[in-house]
Amino acid sequence: MPPSNPLTVITRLSALRAVLSILLILCALAPDLRADTLSGTIKDPSGATVPAAHIEISSPTLTQPLVLTSDAAGKFTAPNLAPGIYTLKVEKDGFDPLVTTVDLHGAADLPLTLAITAQQTIVTVSGSNLAFANSDHFYRALRDDGLGESFRVENATFTLDAGTFDLKSGTLTFLAPVDGKQTGAIFVGQGHFSLKPFTTIDAKELQRRAGALTVEEDLSDVVFRFTPGEVSVFTKLLAGSGKVDTPAEASTVYAHWKDKVRHRHDVPEGFTQAVLESEAIDNVDADLLASIYNPQHPAFLNAYLQGSPHKDLRFFLRARVGAVPQLDSPEEVGLINCDGSGQEDGIWYSQHLKAELLNHTASSTQDRRLFATRSYNIETVIGKNDHLASRAIIRFEPLIPGERVMKFSLLPTLRVLRVAAKDGHDLHFIQENRKQDGSFYAILDAAPAMGQTDSISVEYAGDKVLTNAGNGSYYIGSRESWYPNLNGVGGFGEKSLFDLTFKVPNPNVIISVGKLVDQHTEAGYLVTRWVTSVPAPVAGFNYGQYQKMDFPDDLTHYQISGYYLTDVPDVLRKFQGRGQFGGGASEPGDMRSQALDSMAPRSMTKYALDQTRAQMQLCTFYFGRAPFENINITEQPNFNFGQSWPSLVYLPISAYIDSTQRWMMFDKIDDNFTGFVREVTPHEVAHQWFGHSIGWASYHDQWLSEGFAEFAAGLFLQQAVGPKWQKDYREFWDRLHKRLLDKNNFGVSPNDAGPIWLGERLVSPHSAQAYQGVTYGKGAFILSMLRSLMRADAGASGDPDQAFIDMMHDFTDSYRDKPASTESFEAIVNNHITPQLDIQKNGRLDWFFREWVMDTEIPRYSLKYDVQPDGAGHFKIHAEITQSEVDQNFAMFVPVFADFGQGMFRLGQIEVVGNSTRQANFTVAAQPKKVELNAYKDLLER
């Protein structure tokens, strides 16, 4: 709570003395013994109480007005009043005066709501602040750099890891030195580039992308940009070469390069533009500035290739930070074909250095950060025009000695106004036009000391974070770059503490990550403060005219709340027939226009919270306790999109529309969409564990988040919906199976695009849905198959899932505070391997991860069986299980089920290797109605 204002205390004492004096006079003059009481509670439009409001009560029965002040709970009481007419006037700064009349006969308790005084929030920026934007001396030299000396090159060949450049004939023109350092060169002439992958998986990916196991590209020109230490790559080539006049083509090539890499498309034409031109688009000049200020800055060399058959290949070699930082990976070598909307657009190659591969030191968990973020303290004002103005204090610690340039992910429409050091003095910063390479970089005056925490403050403002959806709802357009996110490019690997204060115009409210620790009104605005008690990977909020509902959890004691909207956004008004859309009422019998007339957001919120509570309890049982003690479930106007942030879930408005209403809206029941609505809440709630408790180390490992959350949604359908779960559970896995294996118009299924290990790189013009199908669907199947493999069969004591539960608890506990990689998850699995699964006799499940994570094979199974009495009152089941369409080493354990009249009962699992048939016998007490393989879809099969 803020400290008390001494003047307020004095005012309250004075008022109290006045009240006591008046009451004594009234008591002395009272004609009878009757004493009435006038009391009330003062609130603002959001329902928050208003303390310290000035209350003046007047009446013909009073010799002078009675003056009171509302207490901390917004309450006031005037006892011992005579019956009669009383006028109350309530005043408070930031609110319009409220005047009301009461005919008092007995006790009256008044609910009083103050209206906010109309205001306009204005942010004033001094010119001196903007003088520090894009004005650093060395940055300007890099940005405006021209051409330097030129040299003749003939048959000059050099290798950069997997890539080889052969400059057969032409000129090499250096850019003019900056601070005496070379940072670029331009080749014009005839050359050739080749790239040969070192691993089988990368060779297969090139075959899919380029139609060959290697890249072979003839060159007409190349622009090289590099940190100063890499100039030796070129000076070695020029030994004995003479200087020549700079060709005019070099200037043309350089100008074309600047136009290309400094341009940002508002709407990406393809995948590579979406990746490279995100909120964290590389400003190459700013990246080079870091190496000018710090000679020990991690080295990089970028090559921008113009040739045949491709016009914009980009080869990147970058230590620590990663070749493609936006891809969320420490892999140092990358090749990208920037083909816009063309059919060969994509990231063709991304891999660790050859030396790391040979030495077996390559890992997704390599730290690629230059600074570690410790905390964010952010104050944000949302204006009545929906613009946002913020001030963020970012505490950080350097991880590399000498670093002075800090890169942030920030929405380009949010313009930085001022950056200041800890002592308050202005710092230079970089943020070019939002249509250019407009990422935000801060430049420290000096490198902070290693092992010590420093801080900067950033003031910024702009729009496009919020879009008014109508009727009190808003689209939140930027959910992880609405603040200067230091290490938020692409992933959730780093966690920080957040202290977030929001000031918003009533009647709108904010629901944020963290816990609400303070709420009050200030100058007519609702002010709330939210704090994370444990480090979180990201901060976000929802915004609108929400109503709140709390929901008890007596088992696991999480604090569960729901926030819902009482009206629909503009896009859905056409489904309400109350005359609110199109200027008039709908025609009688127009079913679609009346679909949402009976919408009941409060009751649907209760349903969503019931799902949330059940999933929180289920996930706690299977995976361990979540790190966040509260969770807020919020409605959003997006119709088919859900998302989860730490302690904050965004549910689509479709989750608040029942099946009858959806049928009326679309004239049909869509089973796939029905499944989405049923599963979106448990899926997003599960991200409190997978994604926010356990982060992913790189794009290779994102299936540990999305696939595991999808598995948890299926687990919810099996464990939390009642005894008749079988149909919904099977349909859930059938939908994932279809999404993974159905072919598109190019004849390509998501599974055909490549192994789950490739993550986002699966996306191509021929496989646009591959990431979703594989990462979500196959990821869920992989965890489901591990559960099936570890499940105890009939006759075992205890919970048949206990081995799986122990393994998942171990995983959660081991990686609660650090990102997990596929390799680290495999290591946890190996610690819990059962003897039956150790088919290689090495205590590892390498065979399983090789088949399902690093490859694309999916087996087909068939079953023949016979049931005969065994002569001893039992029955003998003889089964022949055939596995096909896999290689000779593909191994799997296939679950066998029998139906004895009360649903499918698991008999056991049988190991099958390669394209072969395995025979198995089971003795059972009763004759089964049916015997089946994989009855509950535990195993992914054709």
Side-chain angles (χ1 to χ4, degrees):
M1 293 291 293
S4 299
N5 186 331
L7 295 178
T8 302
V9 175
I10 293 171
T11 301
R12 288 177 178 172
L13 290 174
S14 300
L16 181 59
R17 293 191 187 101
V19 171
L20 291 174
S21 299
I22 293 170
L23 290 177
L24 288 172
I25 295 171
L26 288 175
C27 289
L29 299 177
D32 55 42
L33 296 178
R34 179 171 179 175
D36 295 337
T37 299
L38 181 58
S39 61
T41 303
I42 302 172
K43 296 183 178 182
D44 67 16
S46 73
T49 58
V50 179
H54 178 85
I55 304 143
E56 183 178 292
I57 303 174
S58 58
S59 170
T61 65
L62 297 176
T63 58
Q64 64 184 59
L66 183 62
V67 178
L68 303 173
T69 301
S70 61
D71 64 15
K75 295 182 179 297
F76 68 92
T77 301
N80 301 316
L81 298 179
I85 303 296
Y86 289 84
T87 299
L88 282 78
K89 183 177 182 181
V90 183
E91 294 180 306
K92 173 70 175 178
D93 289 344
F95 296 91
D96 291 336
L98 173 66
V99 179
T100 187
T101 301
V102 180
D103 187 0
L104 185 63
H105 293 280
D109 189 18
L110 307 178
L112 302 173
T113 301
L114 300 182
I116 295 175
T117 302
Q119 293 190 5
Q120 181 178 7
T121 301
I122 301 175
V123 177
T124 303
V125 182
S126 63
S128 62
N129 301 136
L130 296 181
F132 287 83
N134 306 324
S135 60
D136 176 87
H137 172 71
F138 290 130
Y139 175 71
R140 289 268 41 105
L142 288 163
R143 193 72 173 176
D144 304 328
D145 203 5
L147 302 182
E149 296 178 327
S150 296
F151 297 84
R152 186 71 184 174
V153 290
E154 297 286 343
N155 298 318
T157 301
F158 60 97
T159 298
L160 299 173
D161 200 76
T164 299
F165 291 84
D166 181 8
L167 310 183
K168 297 179 180 180
S169 177
T171 59
L172 189 70
T173 302
F174 288 100
L175 300 185
V178 173
D179 193 32
K181 302 177 180 70
Q182 296 283 1
T183 64
I186 301 165
F187 170 76
V188 177
Q190 295 181 344
H192 188 80
F193 170 77
S194 62
L195 184 142
K196 184 176 181 181
F198 301 120
T199 69
T200 301
I201 195 171
D202 290 319
K204 287 183 177 179
E205 175 65 1
L206 265 189
Q207 178 74 51
R208 179 175 81 98
R209 295 283 188 174
L213 297 177
T214 63
V215 174
E216 303 294 339
E217 187 81 5
D218 289 331
L219 304 175
S220 59
D221 58 74
V222 185
V223 174
F224 298 98
R225 299 306 307 267
F226 45 81
T227 50
E230 304 310 297
V231 70
S232 60
V233 171
F234 303 97
T235 55
K236 291 176 183 177
L237 303 176
L238 300 178
S241 297
K243 295 180 182 179
V244 297
D245 292 337
T246 298
E249 293 89 343
S251 179
T252 302
V253 168
Y254 187 38
H256 176 69
W257 173 84
K258 287 190 287 187
D259 289 341
K260 183 168 55 179
V261 302
R262 294 179 182 179
H263 175 68
R264 181 177 182 272
H265 294 78
D266 282 335
V267 179
E269 296 175 355
F271 177 71
T272 61
Q273 286 184 11
V275 172
L276 297 180
E277 298 178 10
S278 67
E279 290 89 345
I281 182 175
D282 281 335
N283 179 328
V284 178
D285 304 302
D287 291 337
L288 288 168
L289 180 66
S291 67
I292 297 294
Y293 278 127
N294 182 17
Q296 304 304 313
H297 182 77
F300 68 84
L301 192 155
N302 297 347
Y304 303 82
L305 286 59
Q306 175 84 10
S308 175
H310 304 98
K311 303 303 181 185
D312 190 2
L313 281 179
R314 303 183 187 185
F315 177 81
F316 297 150
L317 181 63
R318 188 168 189 174
R320 189 174 178 103
V321 175
V324 189
Q326 299 85 351
L327 197 57
D328 182 30
S329 171
E331 292 169 334
E332 298 91 347
V333 189
L335 180 68
I336 303 176
N337 183 27
C338 299
D339 195 25
S341 58
Q343 295 303 302
E344 294 187 330
D345 180 73
I347 298 175
W348 283 13
Y349 184 81
S350 180
Q351 188 52 274
H352 290 277
L353 295 167
K354 177 182 179 181
E356 293 180 352
L357 296 174
L358 294 176
N359 294 328
H360 303 287
T361 58
S363 172
S364 294
T365 59
Q366 293 172 0
D367 197 344
R368 61 190 185 89
R369 300 172 299 165
L370 302 178
F371 300 89
T373 318
R374 299 306 182 204
S375 68
Y376 295 88
N377 188 309
I378 307 173
E379 298 177 357
T380 300
V381 177
I382 296 176
K384 288 181 167 56
N385 59 359
D386 302 332
H387 285 208
L388 179 146
S390 295
R391 180 176 183 266
I393 299 175
I394 302 138
R395 293 177 61 251
F396 60 89
E397 184 178 329
L399 300 179
I400 297 292
E403 285 299 310
R404 289 179 53 190
V405 178
M406 308 175 71
K407 182 180 182 181
F408 297 84
S409 177
L410 183 68
L411 188 70
T413 55
L414 294 174
R415 307 307 296 171
V416 176
L417 310 172
R418 182 173 186 254
V419 180
K422 183 165 55 177
D423 64 3
H425 76 270
D426 285 295
L427 294 175
H428 284 90
F429 64 92
I430 299 167
Q431 190 186 37
E432 298 291 345
N433 186 283
R434 68 178 183 86
K435 293 184 177 295
Q436 296 181 317
D437 47 349
S439 285
F440 166 48
Y441 297 73
I443 306 170
L444 305 176
D445 283 347
M450 296 293 293
Q452 296 185 16
T453 300
D454 204 343
S455 68
I456 63 171
S457 63
V458 181
E459 298 173 18
Y460 58 99
D463 58 2
K464 305 301 183 185
V465 175
L466 298 171
T467 301
N468 194 329
N471 304 306
S473 62
Y474 289 82
Y475 297 104
I476 312 298
S478 176
R479 304 193 179 191
E480 56 192 290
S481 56
W482 64 273
Y483 62 97
N485 198 335
L486 181 55
N487 289 309
V489 180
F492 285 13
E494 181 184 73
K495 294 183 178 180
S496 309
L497 292 170
F498 290 89
D499 188 331
L500 309 170
T501 299
F502 297 91
K503 183 177 180 180
V504 303
N506 277 296
N508 294 318
V509 298
I510 283 280
I511 310 101
S512 171
V513 302
K515 295 186 72 172
L516 180 64
V517 298
D518 184 37
Q519 176 173 311
H520 63 276
T521 55
E522 180 181 306
Y525 277 63
L526 177 64
V527 181
T528 56
R529 182 181 173 210
W530 305 75
V531 177
T532 59
S533 57
V534 297
V538 68
F541 63 90
N542 209 346
Y543 177 69
Q545 295 177 21
Y546 286 97
Q547 301 293 316
K548 182 183 180 184
M549 176 190 298
D550 293 323
F551 208 73
D553 178 9
D554 296 330
L555 180 62
T556 49
H557 303 291
Y558 294 108
Q559 298 173 29
I560 302 172
S561 299
Y563 291 82
Y564 61 94
L565 301 162
T566 58
D567 208 342
V568 299
D570 288 342
V571 70
L572 296 181
R573 297 295 272 182
K574 60 186 176 183
F575 297 109
Q576 286 188 328
R578 304 170 186 157
Q580 299 155 316
F581 182 81
S586 60
E587 293 294 329
D590 184 357
M591 182 176 66
R592 296 183 75 243
S593 68
Q594 300 175 36
L596 300 184
D597 282 358
S598 60
M599 190 173 177
R602 182 175 177 83
S603 62
M604 292 302 290
T605 298
K606 185 176 180 180
Y607 171 73
L609 294 181
D610 193 32
Q611 281 192 310
T612 299
R613 178 174 61 187
Q615 184 68 328
M616 294 291 285
Q617 294 173 352
L618 182 65
C619 288
T620 298
F621 178 76
Y622 269 87
F623 313 130
R625 191 160 184 87
F628 314 107
E629 292 301 319
N630 67 299
I631 184 169
N632 293 318
I633 308 299
T634 67
E635 179 186 351
Q636 63 175 357
N638 310 71
F639 196 77
N640 57 356
F641 166 66
Q643 195 170 42
S644 179
W645 259 207
S647 72
L648 172 64
V649 172
Y650 305 84
L651 287 185
I653 193 171
S654 55
Y656 297 79
I657 300 173
D658 64 35
S659 57
T660 300
Q661 292 162 346
R662 293 197 302 273
W663 170 72
M664 293 175 67
M665 291 171 68
F666 305 120
D667 297 326
K668 65 176 182 179
I669 292 294
D670 185 318
D671 291 338
N672 287 330
F673 195 73
T674 297
F676 164 78
V677 171
R678 183 169 54 225
E679 297 143 21
V680 64
T681 300
H683 175 101
E684 299 303 344
V685 169
H687 274 307
Q688 300 303 304
W689 282 261
F690 307 117
H692 303 321
S693 177
I694 305 172
W696 60 91
S698 78
Y699 71 92
H700 290 300
D701 314 302
Q702 198 164 354
W703 69 279
L704 299 176
S705 172
E706 296 296 355
F708 284 23
E710 193 76 344
F711 164 83
L715 188 67
F716 174 89
L717 294 177
Q718 184 190 55
Q719 300 287 331
V721 299
K724 297 182 178 180
W725 54 269
Q726 292 85 350
K727 180 176 181 292
D728 288 344
Y729 186 68
R730 289 192 185 100
E731 289 178 351
F732 169 81
W733 292 108
D734 282 340
R735 282 193 298 275
L736 295 189
H737 183 276
K738 182 178 177 65
R739 189 162 67 175
L740 180 63
L741 295 182
D742 276 7
K743 296 186 181 296
N744 60 19
N745 292 335
F746 296 99
V748 178
S749 74
N751 189 69
D752 295 334
I756 198 170
W757 171 254
L758 288 175
E760 287 182 279
R761 288 175 55 199
L762 293 167
V763 177
S764 76
H766 288 177
S767 57
Q769 301 303 315
Y771 169 77
Q772 285 81 3
V774 174
T775 303
Y776 288 68
K778 192 173 184 180
F781 267 114
I782 290 173
L783 194 56
S784 174
M785 289 186 288
L786 283 172
R787 181 191 180 202
S788 176
L789 292 176
M790 302 178 77
R791 186 173 179 83
D793 287 320
S797 60
D799 191 325
D801 272 338
Q802 194 59 53
F804 176 76
I805 292 170
D806 291 343
M807 183 263 290
M808 293 305 295
H809 276 244
D810 190 5
F811 181 50
T812 301
D813 292 340
S814 299
Y815 290 92
R816 190 180 297 275
D817 298 317
K818 56 186 177 182
S821 67
T822 300
E823 296 87 349
S824 58
F825 175 63
E826 182 180 353
I828 294 291
V829 175
N830 289 336
N831 290 338
H832 296 267
I833 188 174
T834 61
Q836 181 189 21
L837 303 181
D838 189 11
I839 61 178
Q840 293 178 302
K841 306 306 178 185
N842 62 358
R844 300 176 60 85
L845 246 63
D846 295 344
W847 59 271
F848 178 87
F849 282 85
R850 182 177 60 251
E851 293 168 1
W852 296 106
V853 176
M854 307 302 291
D855 212 334
T856 61
E857 286 190 314
I858 296 178
R860 186 181 299 278
Y861 293 103
S862 62
L863 170 68
K864 295 180 180 179
Y865 70 92
D866 180 59
V867 180
Q868 296 292 336
D870 69 352
H874 298 95
F875 291 86
K876 182 179 180 181
I877 302 173
H878 176 75
E880 293 185 356
I881 303 163
T882 300
Q883 177 176 269
S884 59
E885 300 184 29
V886 293
D887 69 34
Q888 61 180 356
N889 297 315
F890 190 99
M892 197 57 201
F893 288 82
V894 184
V896 183
F897 293 80
D899 182 2
F900 297 100
Q902 294 182 336
M904 284 293 179
F905 175 81
R906 177 164 148 152
L907 300 174
Q909 56 183 355
I910 305 301
E911 176 188 349
V912 188
V913 179
N915 296 300
S916 65
T917 298
R918 177 76 185 274
Q919 298 187 14
N921 295 305
F922 303 93
T923 299
V924 294
Q927 183 172 8
K929 294 182 175 181
K930 184 180 182 182
V931 178
E932 252 184 59
L933 300 179
N934 197 25
Y936 293 120
K937 314 297 183 181
D938 301 300
L939 173 62
L940 178 57
E941 60 173 319
R942 292 285 177 185

